[in-house]
Amino acid sequence: MTKEDIVIRIRDASDTLNKKLSAEVVNKLLAIMKQTLRDGEEIKISSFGKFYVQRRK
């Protein structure tokens, strides 16, 4: 699944969001997640998963 696929699914599931607004939501969410991980924080989403940066040796 690509980012574009996610945008389309959000648009299709929403009564109020068009494709442009759905893309803005996805892009903002990903930007927040990237910055959070850059700041060294973990992201925990119940019933979905946990995201963190793991340094390779």
Side-chain angles (χ1 to χ4, degrees), residues 7-19:
V7 168
I8 291 168
R9 286 196 184 192
I10 290 172
R11 181 203 62 200
D12 292 347
S14 174
D15 293 330
T16 58
L17 295 177
N18 59 29
K19 187 174 178 184

Side-chain angles (χ1 to χ4, degrees), residues 29-30 33-34 36-38 40-54:
L29 172 65
L30 293 175
M33 291 178 74
K34 285 180 198 176
T36 300
L37 293 169
R38 280 188 196 120
E41 298 178 56
E42 291 183 352
I43 300 169
K44 297 176 193 173
I45 302 173
S46 294
S47 301
F48 184 72
K50 181 176 173 181
F51 301 84
Y52 58 94
V53 175
Q54 185 173 6

